[in-house]
Amino acid sequence: MMHPLFSGTLLPGPVTLGRKGLLLALLGSCLLTPTQTTAQVRLPKLVSNGMVLQRDTKVNIWGWAKPSEKVALKFNGKTYQATTGADGKWQISLPALKAGGPYQMDITASNRITLKDVLVGDVWLCSGQSNMETPMSRVRDKYPQEVAQANNPRIRQFNVPLTYAFSGPQTDLTGGSWVAADPQSILQFSAVAYFFAKEISAKYQVPVGIIKDAVGGSPAEAWLSAGALKQFPTYEQQGAKYRDSALVAGIKQREGAAVADWYKRLHQTDQGEAPGQTKWSAVGYDASGWASMNVPGYWADQTPLGPVNGVVWFRKEVEVPASMVGKPARLELGTLVDADSTYINGQLVGTTGYQYPPRKYDFAPGVLKAGKNVIVVRLISNGGRGGFTMGKSYQLTSGGQTIDLRGPWQYKLGATMSPTPGTTTFQYQPGGLYNGMIAPVLPYAVKGVLWYQGESNAGHPEDYQSLLSSLITDWRQQMQRPNLPFVYAQLPNFMAVRKEPSESGWAALRDAQRRTLAVPNTGMAVLLDVGEWNDIHPLDKQTVGHRLALAAQSVAYGEKKIVGMGPLYQSMQVNGNKATISFTNTGSGLVAKGGDNLQYFAIAGADKKYVWANAKIEGNKVVVWSDQVPQPVSVRYAWADNPEGTKLYNKEGLPASTFQASVSATAPAQ
């Protein structure tokens, strides 16, 4: 099939030819030479209209054609040539380019492809899991002006479609195109990457291209090549079995059928949708006999239902003043566990299939009416504690007025089910995302990598430093860029605050991320103050983008005077009952933000029983002690899932990283 950018006319897709038409088509095909039918030059998806090419370095342009075919490329007044190899692949290397554009690129062989609106600037490969993937549409309420004013054709994104493969590295992506930022398109941009790109573009006055190459929930091992996985036999064996495509197809069929059957039985047994009776979502349904519970909350905590799975229906009557009627309105229901269908006055206003997306359901005038209105939520719990997430917004808004929906709601059990059957998430299996989504990008020249990932590895943080270090080395080797800048986000604070020192997978993973800074030409953004205890996808993506940009300026742009990171643990000395911690990246000096005493330092003796410690800043060091620990051996800082209220910063406003130190180990200076 012709490449969509080829000049010429494409036939529409399936057509029915009469006998005469078929004869003409056959004659026409006979008149074409073999070269004409088989030698059409084809380009990878990344090399397309609107692309951003990397400045100040060699740039590869590549594609496919007939073996031994000559290919000419004209760009910015110069012409370059190549001949395809036996495998039909060709590649042309452009010399270092200066930032600028837009330009046109012409590629000619037996056919001609013209690429338009090509810019030269900086390109960043932005990868990881959902917090890198999270689009601006998710945070538009927090940043309305950013969305409204996003008329910046110099910032562009290429969204790599989700693709996994176990047969080996793929040669091209399955889709995607370069899109310039405007108030509509920006809604699909990675929020973290957009804020990063905006800052970099403004500082260096160059176009910035974002290759959004992230998959929600993906663990680090999914992004490693087969060669890199050899260092991790358990992961290698885990991924190897999925090379059997018949096995994968069989698993998909069996698991898909089991899940479909679960939902079928759920629907059949849900009393709220039983045939021959008034549906529980209907306006005329009589719910006078329903019990009540407080929202937000979980029914396992508040009701006799306990941790039941299946369907629980919720209902609330609200009085709406006439001044809110006849206008566009929004229903906000925080986040719900797990899936919901939500009705107002019997009309479906929104539905979401899993727990993480915020429920912000906009609906048209005519749904609300003056006086009594009925809100009904059909809530499916798939296998855990179902309910309404605490600490979120639950309200109805219209015409600048708000009705608070917190408080008592009626509820009734619709159906009891066993947990939903488990499924194999193939995109999370080792090597799959590397083959499908990284390998096809590797020839494309980039300035560096932005990485925001780790949540899915927090359950086994002990191997994360090795995984991340191997990933960095792996990608550098594959790109033949041994010093490729690699800048990553450290996990933020998340989950409930604990009163006493405790073990934490999130803290251990943060410390593994900190220790990965031993890999040369890496940088890290500390995010201990941007998380939300009740949301794994915190809304503050601007701070994340800003701190990644600071680290990138130091690591990738050679800004020696920039303080690119917050204080990092360097060494510890013990005298008597006091431990003195030294730091790098102290900038203009250490401060206790807010002027209060430092928090979240914990200290332990040889028994490794940590207690909260006193801590005070002395110059660019912190002295830590506790009367309960006469002979300290170890000190931890911010060692918690959610060390909310950490106060150790440098004067440049960047927070110190989580760390664990002991008298027997000294971290290398960063």
Side-chain angles (χ1 to χ4, degrees):
M1 185 176 181
M2 273 192 185
H3 191 282
L5 295 176
F6 293 166
S7 57
T9 302
L10 292 180
L11 289 171
V15 293
T16 303
L17 297 174
R19 183 176 297 177
K20 183 178 178 181
L22 181 59
L23 179 60
L24 289 172
L26 289 171
L27 285 171
S29 67
C30 292
L31 293 173
L32 297 175
T33 66
T35 300
Q36 289 173 307
T37 58
T38 62
Q40 296 290 320
V41 171
R42 181 169 60 88
L43 297 175
K45 302 294 189 303
L46 272 170
V47 180
S48 54
N49 285 329
M51 65 181 171
V52 182
L53 299 177
Q54 179 58 45
R55 62 175 172 144
D56 300 337
T57 190
K58 182 182 75 172
V59 170
N60 294 322
I61 304 296
W62 74 101
W64 302 269
K66 181 184 177 182
S68 302
E69 184 170 7
K70 296 187 184 305
V71 178
L73 184 154
K74 184 177 180 181
F75 183 71
N76 200 18
K78 295 183 179 180
T79 300
Y80 309 86
Q81 294 185 334
T83 302
T84 57
D87 58 357
K89 185 174 180 180
W90 57 269
Q91 180 171 300
I92 291 173
S93 294
L94 304 182
L97 306 167
K98 295 300 180 185
Y103 300 112
Q104 177 174 304
M105 180 180 289
D106 294 306
I107 300 170
T108 306
S110 58
N111 61 304
R112 178 174 174 175
I113 302 172
T114 296
L115 302 181
K116 297 182 178 180
D117 193 26
V118 176
L119 299 182
V120 178
D122 286 339
V123 182
W124 284 84
L125 175 58
C126 303
S127 191
Q129 56 182 109
S130 55
N131 273 304
M132 179 61 81
E133 189 179 26
T134 298
M136 286 292 288
S137 59
R138 184 77 71 86
V139 299
R140 65 188 303 178
D141 289 344
K142 185 174 179 65
Y143 304 109
Q145 290 301 110
E146 292 287 347
V147 172
Q149 298 171 4
N151 286 302
N152 195 338
R154 286 156 57 91
I155 297 177
R156 300 179 179 186
Q157 175 179 273
F158 187 101
N159 186 20
V160 176
L162 168 60
T163 313
Y164 57 85
F166 300 105
S167 57
Q170 303 300 290
T171 57
D172 198 6
L173 301 170
T174 57
S177 60
W178 286 96
V179 178
D182 63 37
Q184 189 58 42
S185 66
I186 193 181
L187 296 177
Q188 302 309 315
F189 275 51
S190 159
V192 165
Y194 174 74
F195 285 119
F196 171 88
K198 183 182 176 185
E199 192 160 329
I200 293 296
S201 180
K203 181 172 179 65
Y204 297 105
Q205 292 296 299
V206 296
V208 175
I210 300 162
I211 301 176
K212 180 182 176 182
D213 202 339
V215 175
S218 57
E221 58 269 20
W223 298 97
L224 289 177
S225 72
L229 283 170
K230 293 185 183 300
Q231 304 166 61
F232 306 95
T234 300
Y235 294 130
E236 184 184 29
Q237 293 166 18
Q238 181 183 335
K241 63 182 179 182
Y242 297 114
R243 293 177 194 153
D244 183 342
S245 58
L247 173 70
V248 171
I251 293 172
K252 286 182 178 179
Q253 194 280 327
R254 289 192 303 274
E255 293 180 347
V259 171
D261 179 67
W262 189 91
Y263 278 100
K264 180 181 178 181
R265 288 186 290 112
L266 179 76
H267 180 70
Q268 290 172 340
T269 58
D270 183 1
Q271 297 176 51
E273 295 189 330
Q277 67 167 33
T278 304
K279 289 192 173 2
W280 293 1
S281 58
V283 176
Y285 176 77
D286 179 10
S288 57
W290 287 23
S292 67
M293 67 167 265
N294 282 324
V295 167
Y298 302 92
W299 60 72
D301 299 332
Q302 293 194 40
T303 78
L305 295 177
V308 69
N309 297 128
V311 176
V312 180
W313 291 74
F314 290 86
R315 192 174 192 275
K316 189 174 184 67
E317 294 184 3
V318 294
E319 286 291 324
V320 175
S323 55
M324 292 180 67
V325 175
K327 303 177 179 68
R330 170 180 283 189
L331 177 66
E332 294 187 32
L333 294 176
T335 56
L336 305 177
V337 185
D338 290 287
D340 73 288
S341 296
T342 297
Y343 305 81
I344 296 180
N345 297 329
Q347 296 188 49
L348 182 70
V349 295
T351 182
T352 303
Y354 64 111
Q355 64 176 286
Y356 293 119
R359 271 48 166 196
K360 294 181 178 180
Y361 296 144
D362 294 303
F363 54 94
V367 176
L368 292 180
K369 59 185 181 180
K372 186 182 80 170
N373 290 252
V374 179
I375 303 171
V376 175
V377 178
R378 179 180 185 257
L379 189 52
I380 298 173
S381 174
N382 293 108
R385 286 160 47 84
F388 298 69
T389 304
M390 302 289 287
K392 293 289 186 179
S393 176
Y394 296 87
Q395 61 188 23
L396 180 65
T397 57
S398 178
Q401 295 177 267
T402 299
I403 297 175
D404 190 348
L405 299 178
R406 293 173 300 173
W409 284 55
Q410 293 176 285
Y411 75 91
K412 188 173 177 65
L413 180 65
T416 300
M417 298 284 291
S418 57
T420 311
T423 57
T424 303
T425 313
F426 289 100
Q427 63 262 37
Y428 297 169
Q429 303 310 312
L433 295 180
Y434 173 87
N435 287 337
M437 297 175 67
I438 295 298
V441 175
L442 292 173
Y444 201 84
V446 300
K447 179 70 172 179
V449 174
L450 292 188
W451 177 257
Y452 191 160
Q453 191 277 336
E455 298 93 335
S456 289
N457 289 87
H460 47 96
E462 60 281 350
D463 59 5
Y464 192 77
Q465 184 184 359
S466 296
L467 279 170
L468 184 56
S469 299
S470 296
L471 184 146
I472 296 168
T473 301
D474 185 25
W475 290 13
R476 286 173 170 176
Q477 289 175 344
Q478 303 292 348
M479 293 185 185
Q480 299 179 4
R481 294 276 306 281
N483 295 311
L484 179 73
F486 196 100
V487 181
Y488 54 94
Q490 192 183 56
L491 290 188
N493 51 310
F494 175 53
M495 294 182 281
V497 174
R498 295 191 178 186
K499 294 182 179 179
E500 299 300 328
S502 60
E503 296 305 314
S504 164
W506 275 57
L509 194 129
R510 281 189 216 109
D511 199 36
Q513 291 173 318
R514 177 191 65 82
R515 287 183 276 112
T516 304
L517 289 169
V519 177
N521 231 33
T522 56
M524 182 178 74
V526 176
L527 308 176
L528 289 176
D529 52 354
V530 302
E532 299 175 25
W533 75 269
N534 57 2
D535 204 327
I536 201 168
H537 304 122
L539 294 177
D540 183 359
K541 294 296 189 275
Q542 190 168 30
T543 300
V544 182
H546 169 63
R547 290 182 183 166
L548 287 170
L550 285 177
Q553 288 170 49
S554 175
V555 171
Y557 293 92
E559 300 276 2
K560 302 302 182 186
K561 295 181 180 180
I562 288 274
V563 179
M565 289 182 277
L568 295 168
Y569 167 77
Q570 183 180 35
S571 63
M572 181 173 79
Q573 291 183 325
V574 175
N575 287 308
N577 72 332
K578 292 185 177 179
T580 300
I581 311 294
S582 297
F583 296 87
T584 61
N585 291 82
T586 54
S588 303
L590 297 178
V591 294
K593 191 173 183 179
D596 299 323
N597 294 329
L598 293 175
Q599 298 180 25
Y600 282 102
F601 278 91
I603 195 166
D607 59 4
K608 294 296 178 74
K609 292 182 179 179
Y610 289 90
V611 298
W612 294 129
N614 303 300
K616 68 176 181 178
I617 296 170
E618 292 188 357
N620 283 336
K621 300 180 179 182
V622 174
V623 179
V624 184
W625 76 98
S626 169
D627 293 340
Q628 300 177 54
V629 183
Q631 294 180 302
V633 168
S634 182
V635 169
R636 285 174 169 175
Y637 173 66
W639 199 272
D641 297 334
N642 185 5
E644 189 176 64
T646 50
K647 297 181 180 295
L648 183 60
Y649 285 68
N650 56 27
K651 289 182 180 178
E652 283 70 19
L654 299 174
S657 168
T658 295
F659 69 84
Q660 176 174 283
S662 65
V663 291
S664 59
T666 299
Q670 306 295 351

